[in-house]
Amino acid sequence: MQRRVEEEGVAGRRCGGIQLLSEAALASGDMWSADEIAELCCLHYRTRLPKQGKPDPSREWTSLAAVVKVESLGSPGTPQVTKEVVAMGTGTKCIGQNKMRKTGDVLNDSHAEIVAKRSFQRYLLHQMWLAASHQQCSIFIPGTETGKWKLKPNVIFVFFSSHTPCGDASIIPMSEPVSQLCKPATGAGAVGQLAEYRSNHDHLGPEDERKSEKMAGDYKIKRMKTDNGYFSIITEDLAVQQGSVKREDDTNPESCEGSVERQTANKETTLGRPKVADVYRTGAKCVPGELSDARIPGLGYHCVGLLRVKPGRGDRTCSMSCSDKLARWNVLGCQGALLMHFLQYPLYLSAIIVGKCPYNQEVMRRAIIERTLFQGPVRKMLISGNSHFQNMALWSVEKRCQHISCLPAGFVTQEVKLLQSDLQFEHSHRAIQEAQTNSKTKLVPSSAAISWSAVPEQPLDVTSDGFRQGTTKKMIGSHQSRSKICKVELFHAFQKLVMSISQEDLPDTLRMKTLETYWDYKEAAVNYQEAWKVLRSQALMGWVKNGKEYLHFT
């Protein structure tokens, strides 16, 4: 969290007479590791969450995400750091546009990362209530403006995800050592690579899923020739819209073996220099009206750096990919517009940790921090369909969010720490697949999503298809059908917080204002809305926004 380093100094700050580690020192990761955070999250899932909502490991899998509070309690000389899971989410589903409701009582996006973030907002609302009630156990302390609060300097938050976020962060180069480019991929090697491919093929629509199924029975890797030379690809099933690409004779000995290792930043291999063979696919679709994927074989299948929406079952969704949302949070913070009324600074994540899965450091950085910005002549060349330029643009990344200008005070592009753990989530697609190697049962994503927040009342919430699990058609619209993290429930928790504070102690944006709807309160958070406007106009153009009619509830 760069924004307050200069305020805190290098050595740290004093809180209650004790000198604490500075926020910058905590965020450096010297007092915690990626594996420690991942292990804590997996242990919390295993021991603190009941069986309800968890997948049936004989046939189902899910994704896990969580927010961990890291707090220093000792002095710099004898540091003591505590780590606590404060929010958790599981899930892989989204509802289509036709199932969205104008009453704010359905969860549109139930991917684990989004469920965890909304669970985290529920935790923050409770912590803000503790602060406003003058209880010392809150993570917030008074700011310099009336009604404003800021995070204690000895507290940071770390985000964990069992899998790379869907969308741009999942378009990861496959690679194999040059010395292995010798024979067709068959048998166990091919099956192993296919398992890697599928574990990263996040939340596919029916069309892509059919292609994935076909691939299992006809799997090879072949050499392809383009105007720019040779590259290796997965065969026909992934070679969609081949265009002018020419296939070499199948008897060519320069085929490659199927064992594919994921390529991480600056990682050396003892088998020779890694050769980029292809990219892992993402099921997320390019936003309407913007550039689209070329879908040519190999590296050219996807166009990277683009905004994407999550796929739905037939009915298209309006939910942006998790990569896009994480990029947004990295500038606007995780607190959202409502809580920004009470915060002097946005609340940023200090680190994002991904569990054991296909992963690439440079790709994560591109998706979350940098993003390719296609503007001016660059954008015109891409739109013109120049495939040679598109392939060059795939890996030459310009800064997108890092050079945003005119952000309101306090908002920055956070230099979030990006890490990977070697620990594998027990109910991930890959883990379940490995445990079911001799089973012929088709694995499917769990239909349930679990939300957990570190709050005293009803911390656990299990949903399916956007409503609380067990909701019947007749119950839809009732209070009993709502998730605790749906828009209207979080809005009511926010209103309850506002009502508990006297008028003279409210921030300026809420004092003596006639605000009624969810939309009214969000728009009244002027600094947040200005930051979002700047971000949308300079970096995240094409972001799919829901119509106002979906936000005018009370």
Side-chain angles (χ1 to χ4, degrees), residues 141-154:
I141 56 176
T144 57
E145 302 173 30
T146 302
K148 294 281 190 174
W149 303 82
K150 58 185 179 181
L151 189 65
K152 286 180 177 178
N154 61 318

Side-chain angles (χ1 to χ4, degrees), residues 169-387:
S170 287
I171 306 174
I172 301 170
M174 296 180 182
S175 64
E176 57 273 322
V178 172
S179 60
Q180 288 192 1
L181 299 175
C182 56
K183 60 183 180 180
T186 58
V191 172
Q193 183 169 343
L194 180 57
E196 284 286 292
Y197 162 78
R198 279 181 168 170
S199 70
N200 202 49
H201 207 199
D202 37 70
H203 323 307
L204 298 177
E207 179 185 350
D208 291 316
E209 201 167 66
R210 283 195 295 272
K211 292 174 186 173
S212 179
E213 288 302 315
K214 184 182 175 187
M215 182 180 166
D218 189 21
Y219 185 84
K220 292 181 183 177
I221 294 181
K222 296 185 180 180
R223 298 271 289 170
M224 303 294 290
K225 184 177 181 180
T226 69
D227 295 336
N228 306 317
Y230 293 95
F231 58 86
S232 302
I233 67 159
I234 299 173
T235 54
E236 291 95 336
D237 305 275
L238 294 181
V240 182
Q241 299 179 9
Q242 293 183 29
S244 61
V245 179
K246 299 176 182 178
R247 182 175 308 223
E248 282 219 357
D249 189 281
D250 288 350
T251 60
N252 191 320
E254 291 189 355
S255 297
C256 64
E257 194 164 14
S259 178
V260 173
E261 302 172 359
R262 68 179 185 271
Q263 183 182 10
T264 55
N266 302 321
K267 186 176 181 179
E268 294 183 354
T269 174
T270 58
L271 298 175
R273 183 182 176 185
K275 180 179 180 65
V276 174
D278 200 348
V279 290
Y280 288 100
R281 310 286 192 255
T282 178
K285 312 299 182 185
C286 299
V287 296
E290 294 293 307
L291 295 173
S292 59
D293 291 322
R295 292 180 174 268
I296 60 176
L299 293 179
Y301 188 87
H302 283 305
C303 192
V304 301
L306 302 182
L307 296 177
R308 297 173 180 273
V309 292
K310 292 168 180 170
R313 292 283 176 178
D315 183 23
R316 195 181 187 105
T317 79
C318 292
S319 298
M320 301 300 293
S321 74
C322 290
S323 294
D324 298 334
K325 290 186 176 182
L326 280 163
R328 174 182 172 173
W329 304 343
N330 200 47
V331 177
L332 302 184
C334 287
Q335 73 292 322
L338 296 183
L339 271 166
M340 201 62 221
H341 283 289
F342 289 101
L343 291 174
Q344 190 159 328
Y345 304 105
L347 204 156
Y348 292 111
L349 298 170
S350 292
I352 298 172
I353 297 170
V354 175
K356 187 177 182 180
C357 67
Y359 178 88
N360 182 286
Q361 183 76 7
E362 292 179 1
V363 171
M364 275 289 288
R365 182 173 179 82
R366 176 193 75 210
I368 308 304
I369 301 173
E370 293 174 351
R371 288 298 186 100
T372 306
L373 179 56
F374 298 129
Q375 284 188 328
V378 176
R379 188 175 182 84
K380 288 179 182 177
M381 288 193 73
L382 283 170
I383 293 174
S384 70
N386 188 321
S387 60

Side-chain angles (χ1 to χ4, degrees), residues 464-477:
S464 180
D465 206 25
F467 296 105
R468 291 186 69 179
Q469 196 173 53
T471 297
T472 63
K473 286 186 178 181
K474 290 183 177 180
M475 292 172 62
I476 291 177

Side-chain angles (χ1 to χ4, degrees), residues 74 92 98 124 206 383 403 445 485 498 521 523:
T92 64
N98 290 337
L124 293 176
I383 293 174
H403 298 301
I485 58 170
V498 173
Y521 278 94
E523 288 298 299

Side-chain angles (χ1 to χ4, degrees), residues 16-207:
I18 301 175
Q19 190 178 33
L20 303 170
L21 290 176
S22 72
E23 186 179 357
L26 267 180
S28 70
D30 293 338
M31 305 303 298
W32 50 270
S33 70
D35 283 349
E36 286 175 345
I37 298 295
E39 186 175 18
L40 179 67
C41 294
C42 291
L43 179 65
H44 187 96
Y45 172 84
R46 193 180 308 122
T47 61
R48 297 289 301 275
L49 301 190
K51 188 176 180 180
Q52 181 190 8
K54 291 181 179 179
D56 176 356
S58 67
R59 62 183 186 87
E60 293 180 326
W61 59 276
T62 194
S63 295
L64 175 72
V67 180
V68 175
K69 180 182 74 169
V70 181
E71 183 175 11
S72 77
L73 300 176
S75 65
T78 56
Q80 297 177 8
V81 174
T82 65
K83 298 176 286 292
E84 176 191 3
V85 176
V86 295
M88 180 166 280
T90 72
T92 64
K93 303 287 187 178
C94 275
I95 65 168
Q97 186 174 6
N98 290 337
K99 290 188 176 180
M100 291 173 59
R101 290 168 58 84
K102 297 176 182 178
T103 47
D105 59 356
V106 64
L107 281 178
N108 297 334
D109 188 343
S110 293
H111 280 216
E113 296 94 325
I114 312 309
V115 175
K117 185 254 194 179
R118 298 185 71 82
S119 303
F120 182 47
Q121 289 176 328
R122 190 179 175 210
Y123 162 80
L124 293 176
L125 280 166
H126 175 67
Q127 291 294 315
M128 189 60 70
W129 180 83
L130 291 176
S133 304
H134 307 291
Q135 300 190 40
Q136 291 185 348
C137 56
S138 173
I139 61 172
F140 296 114
I141 56 176
T144 57
E145 302 173 30
T146 302
K148 294 281 190 174
W149 303 82
K150 58 185 179 181
L151 189 65
K152 286 180 177 178
N154 61 318
V155 173
I156 65 167
F157 292 101
V158 176
F159 192 84
F160 170 76
S161 176
S162 64
H163 207 279
T164 47
C166 67
D168 199 54
S170 287
I171 306 174
I172 301 170
M174 296 180 182
S175 64
E176 57 273 322
V178 172
S179 60
Q180 288 192 1
L181 299 175
C182 56
K183 60 183 180 180
T186 58
V191 172
Q193 183 169 343
L194 180 57
E196 284 286 292
Y197 162 78
R198 279 181 168 170
S199 70
N200 202 49
H201 207 199
D202 37 70
H203 323 307
L204 298 177
E207 179 185 350

Side-chain angles (χ1 to χ4, degrees), residues 307 328 332 375 404 407 528-545:
L307 296 177
R328 174 182 172 173
L332 302 184
Q375 284 188 328
I404 297 172
L407 282 168
Y528 181 91
Q529 294 301 339
E530 178 59 27
W532 180 213
K533 181 180 178 181
V534 169
L535 179 60
R536 233 172 32 245
S537 64
Q538 295 187 28
L540 302 182
M541 298 84 70
W543 188 281
V544 176
K545 291 188 68 179

